Amino acid sequence: MRLGLALGYWGRGPSPTSLDLAREAERLGYHSVWTAEAWGSDAFTALTWIAAHTSRIRLGTAVAQMAARTPTATAMHALTLDHLSGGRMSLGLGLSGPQVVEGWYGRPFPRSPLTATREYVDVVKQVLRREGPVTLDGRYHPHPYNGPDGTGLGKPLKPITHPLRAELPVLLGAEGPKNVAQTLRIADGWLPLYWSPTRWAEVYGLTAPLRDGFLVAPMVRAQVCEDIAAGLLPVKAMLGFYIGGMGHTARNFHADLMGRMGYEAEARRVQELFAAGRREEAVLAVPDAFADEISLVGPRERIAERLAEWRKGPVTDLLVTAPDPMTLRTLAELNS
């Protein structure tokens, strides 16, 4: 199981520690570093900045939002950064949800998310393979465009720039059972949001062995500390925001996943509190047991014991969100 550093997306402004953490992760032998985006900073610019200040560590987006760019534009970002970094790029994609797609990107959320995702990945992979002009008779991403408001003059094209690697890994963030099943078929890897090292098979309905080379890269908040309850507060804050703020109460994929993990009533309560503007209460309503199950928090000995559980499953890359270099070093030592 390889280690990666998950930096996420910016809050109010750029993080003053991200670059130092990325350099420290590279020095410690971490395999990869990952950036993200929501409705503020974008994933690719920050990742390019890190690429320019490192030399070996692999680079990934976890995740870049599909609604933010056409699939060809996303493929251009990936192949460009792969060239500039010397073949270190992995492309993690996520569909997001109706609240973000329609509220931030100003476009309709697809009525068939599985079809939209499948078409998006198809176009991206066609660009990266560069075997011919990109063509797709698709519902959401037709190439050339053939809608009634088009000119009819679109021409199938292939990228001018030859991609450095046709096999550049494409990973998907997937939560629902059908989305996970499709991810296993069409992608090179999977980016689970919440991962239970002891209940992953039942939570995600994984019964068959994964194919050779398939990447499973969940994110985990890690912190070496003596006060476990205090260490779990940032995990609960993240969960409160995702479950209460990233989606409508009627359609929130993060809340649905929490429900499938046995905390349905608690997820609805977090949503209710967050929607009522009682955000601190929403965070405190996240069960400690749930936050603890999906994180690595506590003294070194406790983290060592729990890390052994993560190694028993199909995880190939553990993407660590850590607040300090000491935690990064401890995990590197425990995982060596």
Side-chain angles (χ1 to χ4, degrees), residues 264-284:
E264 184 172 0
E266 293 87 344
R268 301 311 166 200
R269 180 59 177 161
V270 170
Q271 288 184 301
E272 292 170 2
L273 291 168
F274 202 96
R278 298 157 62 182
R279 297 192 176 189
E280 290 186 8
E281 293 179 64
V283 169
L284 295 177

PDB file of all heavy atoms in Angstrom, residues 264-284:
ATOM      1  N   GLU A 264     -27.915   6.459   8.950  1.00  0.00           N
ATOM      2  CA  GLU A 264     -28.894   7.197   8.159  1.00  0.00           C
ATOM      3  C   GLU A 264     -29.569   8.294   8.981  1.00  0.00           C
ATOM      4  O   GLU A 264     -29.685   9.442   8.535  1.00  0.00           O
ATOM      5  CB  GLU A 264     -29.951   6.248   7.598  1.00  0.00           C
ATOM      6  CG  GLU A 264     -30.954   6.945   6.691  1.00  0.00           C
ATOM      7  CD  GLU A 264     -31.889   5.976   5.994  1.00  0.00           C
ATOM      8  OE1 GLU A 264     -31.758   4.757   6.212  1.00  0.00           O
ATOM      9  OE2 GLU A 264     -32.748   6.445   5.226  1.00  0.00           O
ATOM     10  N   ALA A 265     -30.041   7.964  10.171  1.00  0.00           N
ATOM     11  CA  ALA A 265     -30.720   8.963  11.000  1.00  0.00           C
ATOM     12  C   ALA A 265     -29.773  10.098  11.363  1.00  0.00           C
ATOM     13  O   ALA A 265     -30.151  11.283  11.335  1.00  0.00           O
ATOM     14  CB  ALA A 265     -31.273   8.302  12.263  1.00  0.00           C
ATOM     15  N   GLU A 266     -28.529   9.758  11.676  1.00  0.00           N
ATOM     16  CA  GLU A 266     -27.547  10.785  12.031  1.00  0.00           C
ATOM     17  C   GLU A 266     -27.240  11.687  10.831  1.00  0.00           C
ATOM     18  O   GLU A 266     -27.064  12.901  10.994  1.00  0.00           O
ATOM     19  CB  GLU A 266     -26.273  10.135  12.538  1.00  0.00           C
ATOM     20  CG  GLU A 266     -26.431   9.406  13.869  1.00  0.00           C
ATOM     21  CD  GLU A 266     -26.890   7.959  13.717  1.00  0.00           C
ATOM     22  OE1 GLU A 266     -27.388   7.590  12.629  1.00  0.00           O
ATOM     23  OE2 GLU A 266     -26.741   7.200  14.687  1.00  0.00           O
ATOM     24  N   ALA A 267     -27.178  11.103   9.621  1.00  0.00           N
ATOM     25  CA  ALA A 267     -26.917  11.901   8.425  1.00  0.00           C
ATOM     26  C   ALA A 267     -28.039  12.909   8.197  1.00  0.00           C
ATOM     27  O   ALA A 267     -27.783  14.078   7.863  1.00  0.00           O
ATOM     28  CB  ALA A 267     -26.757  10.989   7.213  1.00  0.00           C
ATOM     29  N   ARG A 268     -29.286  12.475   8.357  1.00  0.00           N
ATOM     30  CA  ARG A 268     -30.418  13.394   8.161  1.00  0.00           C
ATOM     31  C   ARG A 268     -30.405  14.507   9.206  1.00  0.00           C
ATOM     32  O   ARG A 268     -30.749  15.652   8.912  1.00  0.00           O
ATOM     33  CB  ARG A 268     -31.741  12.623   8.219  1.00  0.00           C
ATOM     34  CG  ARG A 268     -31.872  11.512   7.186  1.00  0.00           C
ATOM     35  CD  ARG A 268     -31.511  11.966   5.787  1.00  0.00           C
ATOM     36  NE  ARG A 268     -31.332  10.831   4.877  1.00  0.00           N
ATOM     37  CZ  ARG A 268     -30.665  10.877   3.742  1.00  0.00           C
ATOM     38  NH1 ARG A 268     -30.082  12.016   3.364  1.00  0.00           N
ATOM     39  NH2 ARG A 268     -30.563   9.815   2.966  1.00  0.00           N
ATOM     40  N   ARG A 269     -30.013  14.163  10.424  1.00  0.00           N
ATOM     41  CA  ARG A 269     -29.942  15.176  11.477  1.00  0.00           C
ATOM     42  C   ARG A 269     -28.866  16.209  11.168  1.00  0.00           C
ATOM     43  O   ARG A 269     -29.078  17.420  11.358  1.00  0.00           O
ATOM     44  CB  ARG A 269     -29.663  14.508  12.830  1.00  0.00           C
ATOM     45  CG  ARG A 269     -29.571  15.464  14.008  1.00  0.00           C
ATOM     46  CD  ARG A 269     -30.854  16.251  14.185  1.00  0.00           C
ATOM     47  NE  ARG A 269     -30.798  17.127  15.353  1.00  0.00           N
ATOM     48  CZ  ARG A 269     -31.606  18.165  15.529  1.00  0.00           C
ATOM     49  NH1 ARG A 269     -32.529  18.468  14.610  1.00  0.00           N
ATOM     50  NH2 ARG A 269     -31.505  18.921  16.622  1.00  0.00           N
ATOM     51  N   VAL A 270     -27.720  15.767  10.670  1.00  0.00           N
ATOM     52  CA  VAL A 270     -26.664  16.699  10.275  1.00  0.00           C
ATOM     53  C   VAL A 270     -27.175  17.626   9.180  1.00  0.00           C
ATOM     54  O   VAL A 270     -26.944  18.849   9.208  1.00  0.00           O
ATOM     55  CB  VAL A 270     -25.416  15.932   9.802  1.00  0.00           C
ATOM     56  CG1 VAL A 270     -24.406  16.883   9.158  1.00  0.00           C
ATOM     57  CG2 VAL A 270     -24.767  15.194  10.970  1.00  0.00           C
ATOM     58  N   GLN A 271     -27.887  17.078   8.207  1.00  0.00           N
ATOM     59  CA  GLN A 271     -28.445  17.896   7.130  1.00  0.00           C
ATOM     60  C   GLN A 271     -29.416  18.941   7.665  1.00  0.00           C
ATOM     61  O   GLN A 271     -29.397  20.104   7.256  1.00  0.00           O
ATOM     62  CB  GLN A 271     -29.143  17.005   6.106  1.00  0.00           C
ATOM     63  CG  GLN A 271     -28.195  16.186   5.241  1.00  0.00           C
ATOM     64  CD  GLN A 271     -28.961  15.401   4.194  1.00  0.00           C
ATOM     65  OE1 GLN A 271     -29.823  14.583   4.505  1.00  0.00           O
ATOM     66  NE2 GLN A 271     -28.665  15.663   2.940  1.00  0.00           N
ATOM     67  N   GLU A 272     -30.290  18.519   8.559  1.00  0.00           N
ATOM     68  CA  GLU A 272     -31.282  19.437   9.121  1.00  0.00           C
ATOM     69  C   GLU A 272     -30.616  20.596   9.859  1.00  0.00           C
ATOM     70  O   GLU A 272     -30.986  21.761   9.690  1.00  0.00           O
ATOM     71  CB  GLU A 272     -32.208  18.675  10.077  1.00  0.00           C
ATOM     72  CG  GLU A 272     -33.126  17.669   9.387  1.00  0.00           C
ATOM     73  CD  GLU A 272     -33.828  16.777  10.385  1.00  0.00           C
ATOM     74  OE1 GLU A 272     -33.625  16.975  11.608  1.00  0.00           O
ATOM     75  OE2 GLU A 272     -34.572  15.868   9.964  1.00  0.00           O
ATOM     76  N   LEU A 273     -29.624  20.281  10.670  1.00  0.00           N
ATOM     77  CA  LEU A 273     -28.942  21.313  11.436  1.00  0.00           C
ATOM     78  C   LEU A 273     -28.184  22.269  10.528  1.00  0.00           C
ATOM     79  O   LEU A 273     -28.202  23.493  10.723  1.00  0.00           O
ATOM     80  CB  LEU A 273     -27.995  20.669  12.448  1.00  0.00           C
ATOM     81  CG  LEU A 273     -28.663  19.914  13.602  1.00  0.00           C
ATOM     82  CD1 LEU A 273     -27.630  19.085  14.365  1.00  0.00           C
ATOM     83  CD2 LEU A 273     -29.358  20.892  14.544  1.00  0.00           C
ATOM     84  N   PHE A 274     -27.506  21.717   9.531  1.00  0.00           N
ATOM     85  CA  PHE A 274     -26.726  22.551   8.620  1.00  0.00           C
ATOM     86  C   PHE A 274     -27.658  23.473   7.837  1.00  0.00           C
ATOM     87  O   PHE A 274     -27.374  24.665   7.665  1.00  0.00           O
ATOM     88  CB  PHE A 274     -25.915  21.674   7.668  1.00  0.00           C
ATOM     89  CG  PHE A 274     -24.718  22.362   7.068  1.00  0.00           C
ATOM     90  CD1 PHE A 274     -23.462  22.207   7.632  1.00  0.00           C
ATOM     91  CD2 PHE A 274     -24.849  23.166   5.946  1.00  0.00           C
ATOM     92  CE1 PHE A 274     -22.356  22.845   7.083  1.00  0.00           C
ATOM     93  CE2 PHE A 274     -23.750  23.816   5.396  1.00  0.00           C
ATOM     94  CZ  PHE A 274     -22.501  23.649   5.964  1.00  0.00           C
ATOM     95  N   ALA A 275     -28.776  22.930   7.355  1.00  0.00           N
ATOM     96  CA  ALA A 275     -29.720  23.733   6.583  1.00  0.00           C
ATOM     97  C   ALA A 275     -30.338  24.850   7.419  1.00  0.00           C
ATOM     98  O   ALA A 275     -30.708  25.906   6.894  1.00  0.00           O
ATOM     99  CB  ALA A 275     -30.822  22.834   6.016  1.00  0.00           C
ATOM    100  N   ALA A 276     -30.443  24.624   8.730  1.00  0.00           N
ATOM    101  CA  ALA A 276     -31.000  25.627   9.628  1.00  0.00           C
ATOM    102  C   ALA A 276     -29.974  26.661  10.059  1.00  0.00           C
ATOM    103  O   ALA A 276     -30.280  27.544  10.869  1.00  0.00           O
ATOM    104  CB  ALA A 276     -31.601  24.942  10.856  1.00  0.00           C
ATOM    105  N   GLY A 277     -28.754  26.566   9.536  1.00  0.00           N
ATOM    106  CA  GLY A 277     -27.709  27.509   9.896  1.00  0.00           C
ATOM    107  C   GLY A 277     -27.001  27.183  11.198  1.00  0.00           C
ATOM    108  O   GLY A 277     -26.191  27.970  11.682  1.00  0.00           O
ATOM    109  N   ARG A 278     -27.274  26.028  11.764  1.00  0.00           N
ATOM    110  CA  ARG A 278     -26.668  25.623  13.051  1.00  0.00           C
ATOM    111  C   ARG A 278     -25.468  24.719  12.759  1.00  0.00           C
ATOM    112  O   ARG A 278     -25.445  23.539  13.059  1.00  0.00           O
ATOM    113  CB  ARG A 278     -27.725  24.926  13.899  1.00  0.00           C
ATOM    114  CG  ARG A 278     -28.883  25.840  14.235  1.00  0.00           C
ATOM    115  CD  ARG A 278     -30.164  25.096  14.580  1.00  0.00           C
ATOM    116  NE  ARG A 278     -30.036  24.242  15.773  1.00  0.00           N
ATOM    117  CZ  ARG A 278     -31.013  23.471  16.227  1.00  0.00           C
ATOM    118  NH1 ARG A 278     -32.185  23.439  15.598  1.00  0.00           N
ATOM    119  NH2 ARG A 278     -30.822  22.727  17.307  1.00  0.00           N
ATOM    120  N   ARG A 279     -24.464  25.307  12.169  1.00  0.00           N
ATOM    121  CA  ARG A 279     -23.363  24.517  11.631  1.00  0.00           C
ATOM    122  C   ARG A 279     -22.518  23.859  12.714  1.00  0.00           C
ATOM    123  O   ARG A 279     -22.060  22.731  12.548  1.00  0.00           O
ATOM    124  CB  ARG A 279     -22.494  25.383  10.714  1.00  0.00           C
ATOM    125  CG  ARG A 279     -23.253  25.891   9.494  1.00  0.00           C
ATOM    126  CD  ARG A 279     -22.338  26.500   8.466  1.00  0.00           C
ATOM    127  NE  ARG A 279     -23.081  26.883   7.268  1.00  0.00           N
ATOM    128  CZ  ARG A 279     -22.523  27.286   6.137  1.00  0.00           C
ATOM    129  NH1 ARG A 279     -21.193  27.376   6.058  1.00  0.00           N
ATOM    130  NH2 ARG A 279     -23.254  27.610   5.090  1.00  0.00           N
ATOM    131  N   GLU A 280     -22.281  24.559  13.800  1.00  0.00           N
ATOM    132  CA  GLU A 280     -21.496  23.948  14.876  1.00  0.00           C
ATOM    133  C   GLU A 280     -22.213  22.735  15.449  1.00  0.00           C
ATOM    134  O   GLU A 280     -21.581  21.716  15.741  1.00  0.00           O
ATOM    135  CB  GLU A 280     -21.226  24.986  15.963  1.00  0.00           C
ATOM    136  CG  GLU A 280     -20.262  26.081  15.536  1.00  0.00           C
ATOM    137  CD  GLU A 280     -19.919  27.011  16.688  1.00  0.00           C
ATOM    138  OE1 GLU A 280     -20.304  26.706  17.843  1.00  0.00           O
ATOM    139  OE2 GLU A 280     -19.249  28.039  16.442  1.00  0.00           O
ATOM    140  N   GLU A 281     -23.516  22.847  15.598  1.00  0.00           N
ATOM    141  CA  GLU A 281     -24.286  21.701  16.079  1.00  0.00           C
ATOM    142  C   GLU A 281     -24.260  20.559  15.067  1.00  0.00           C
ATOM    143  O   GLU A 281     -24.237  19.385  15.453  1.00  0.00           O
ATOM    144  CB  GLU A 281     -25.732  22.117  16.352  1.00  0.00           C
ATOM    145  CG  GLU A 281     -25.900  23.075  17.513  1.00  0.00           C
ATOM    146  CD  GLU A 281     -27.352  23.456  17.711  1.00  0.00           C
ATOM    147  OE1 GLU A 281     -28.164  22.561  18.037  1.00  0.00           O
ATOM    148  OE2 GLU A 281     -27.676  24.643  17.518  1.00  0.00           O
ATOM    149  N   ALA A 282     -24.269  20.908  13.775  1.00  0.00           N
ATOM    150  CA  ALA A 282     -24.216  19.876  12.739  1.00  0.00           C
ATOM    151  C   ALA A 282     -22.918  19.083  12.836  1.00  0.00           C
ATOM    152  O   ALA A 282     -22.916  17.848  12.715  1.00  0.00           O
ATOM    153  CB  ALA A 282     -24.354  20.514  11.358  1.00  0.00           C
ATOM    154  N   VAL A 283     -21.826  19.779  13.063  1.00  0.00           N
ATOM    155  CA  VAL A 283     -20.532  19.103  13.191  1.00  0.00           C
ATOM    156  C   VAL A 283     -20.533  18.181  14.410  1.00  0.00           C
ATOM    157  O   VAL A 283     -20.101  17.019  14.335  1.00  0.00           O
ATOM    158  CB  VAL A 283     -19.404  20.140  13.296  1.00  0.00           C
ATOM    159  CG1 VAL A 283     -18.087  19.472  13.714  1.00  0.00           C
ATOM    160  CG2 VAL A 283     -19.229  20.868  11.964  1.00  0.00           C
ATOM    161  N   LEU A 284     -21.026  18.673  15.524  1.00  0.00           N
ATOM    162  CA  LEU A 284     -21.042  17.875  16.746  1.00  0.00           C
ATOM    163  C   LEU A 284     -21.995  16.699  16.634  1.00  0.00           C
ATOM    164  O   LEU A 284     -21.850  15.700  17.355  1.00  0.00           O
ATOM    165  CB  LEU A 284     -21.418  18.751  17.938  1.00  0.00           C
ATOM    166  CG  LEU A 284     -20.414  19.855  18.292  1.00  0.00           C
ATOM    167  CD1 LEU A 284     -20.929  20.691  19.445  1.00  0.00           C
ATOM    168  CD2 LEU A 284     -19.050  19.260  18.624  1.00  0.00           C
TER     169      LEU A 284
END
